[in-house]
Amino acid sequence: MKQLRSFLMLVIVLLISFNFLISCKNNKITDNKIIATTNEYGALYSVLWAISPERKAQLLTQYKLNIHLYNQIIAKQNQFADKINKGKLSLNLVKWEKNNLIINETSNDEFIPAVAVDLDETFLDNSPVLAASLLDKRKFNHLNWDKWVKTQQAKIFAGVLNFVKHIYHNGGMIFFTSNRLQNKHLEDTKKNLINEGFPEELLNDALWWMDGKKLKADKVLKEKEDRYEYINNNKVSILGKKVNVRIMMVIGDDINDFNSNFTNNKGITYRENYMEDNNIQKLFGEPAMAIRFSKENDKIIKYYANCGQSVDTLLLEKKQIQEIIKENICWYKSYSLIGGNAMYGGWDSAFKKKYFEQHGTSYMKQAIREYLQKFTSWD
Ligand SMILES: [Mg+2]
């Protein structure tokens, strides 16, 4: 009898412990679920915003303003024509008429203005990828990205086609400097753009400078900024003509699309100080003297085109660059950031880099908490 009582007591203790363990495990699952739901909730907001009429209105506004911005850059560069000592801007060499692109060769002292554009979330809308990852739990990875690119279904943003037509009707050219892969994604991306009404004759192979583009001796330039510099300093062969080109406008949805030698794979302070630099601030939305960065090993140099303005030394003072060099050329340029990609990008990676190790999937909350600490609390 005594033995039976002891046995029953043991069973009860074991059952209580087992329930406790199950309950702990469930609590843990619940916690994770809360985190996942919170993150998912934010992501759902991003997708709804991306497919809203407001987003369409924003993009139309942005691309119409980009047309004015391009005109302003050209006007400003022409105003300083006498100061240019590395070639003159020429607007009569690119002609686009009746679905036919004609390029005339440049002489050594003239150049064609060009616009460098990113594609994903700048020209093309990939919000279905995030939408599917939220609803069908399809993971975002390279395999699924490749499958999506192959479908050629990305929609082109409102206002893009009119902007492109304006550039070609006004003596300029557009270079595709996306980080899609040149080898793997080029044909599908081209077909996708054609499906969306992009004029086929403006998609010449010479205009594609995506990630992995092979240069002489199989050289590949990883950083976008190095690709821009290569285009500026080497003749581009297009439709049998060799032309000098200068990138005068850059359009992207990520800060890394502009001066990647300074910002790419860098922490938050680099990105924040970049946007505090007065020369960089000026470049967004108006013509200003061209700024570029070079990166070799750990040395970053800021170069500025000499158009008479003063150079901001902030990044040197912050020890984030090692040198500033004046270039003997008056060259105007401008940047346009297509705002509204709240789904992914350099901005999210930088927060993740800073907070993820310590805070795991709550990293977003921690970043926001620290931001909120800058304000006094209110009820
Ligand atoms: Mg992009």
Side-chain angles (χ1 to χ4, degrees), residues 118-122 253-254 257 341 344:
D118 171 56
L119 285 173
D120 295 311
E121 277 46 73
T122 298
D253 69 298
D254 190 310
D257 291 328
N341 173 10
Y344 68 91

Side-chain angles (χ1 to χ4, degrees), residues 82-231:
D82 57 329
K83 285 195 181 176
I84 300 172
N85 54 3
K86 266 197 187 174
K88 188 172 172 290
L89 176 68
S90 184
L91 301 172
N92 306 315
L93 302 171
V94 174
K95 297 239 184 316
W96 180 50
E97 288 158 355
K98 296 177 187 151
N99 300 335
N100 195 20
L101 182 67
I102 300 162
I103 307 277
N104 292 297
E105 214 147 275
T106 52
S107 63
N108 276 339
D109 64 345
E110 61 185 359
F111 63 86
I112 294 169
V115 182
V117 300
D118 171 56
L119 285 173
D120 295 311
E121 277 46 73
T122 298
F123 268 19
L124 290 172
D125 180 3
N126 298 298
S127 51
V129 177
L130 183 64
S133 77
L134 287 169
L135 296 189
D136 307 342
K137 304 287 175 207
R138 260 180 257 166
K139 275 206 175 121
F140 178 82
N141 55 33
H142 286 291
L143 211 62
N144 282 337
W145 174 250
D146 291 347
K147 281 184 195 165
W148 163 250
V149 172
K150 265 194 188 320
T151 70
Q152 306 165 11
Q153 281 190 87
K155 295 283 171 211
I156 201 160
F157 284 137
V160 167
L161 291 177
N162 278 343
F163 172 77
V164 170
K165 289 171 187 172
H166 181 83
I167 300 302
Y168 280 92
H169 280 144
N170 287 274
M173 292 200 291
I174 293 184
F175 284 74
F176 304 101
T177 49
S178 152
N179 273 344
R180 282 189 178 202
L181 303 176
Q182 184 92 357
N183 284 344
K184 204 192 252 182
H185 299 139
L186 182 64
E187 286 312 312
D188 288 316
T189 308
K190 257 189 201 178
K191 283 181 190 149
N192 192 152
L193 285 167
I194 294 166
N195 294 345
E196 287 294 299
F198 206 101
E200 199 172 344
E201 61 277 14
L202 307 183
L203 297 171
N204 188 288
D205 278 352
L207 303 168
W208 292 81
W209 289 70
M210 304 202 295
D211 190 5
K213 180 187 168 72
K214 293 246 167 70
L215 304 169
K216 284 171 211 154
D218 278 357
K219 192 178 170 188
V220 168
L221 298 171
K222 201 72 192 154
E223 290 295 347
K224 286 189 175 195
E225 201 173 2
D226 290 335
R227 282 179 249 162
Y228 305 154
E229 199 46 20
Y230 190 92
I231 293 170

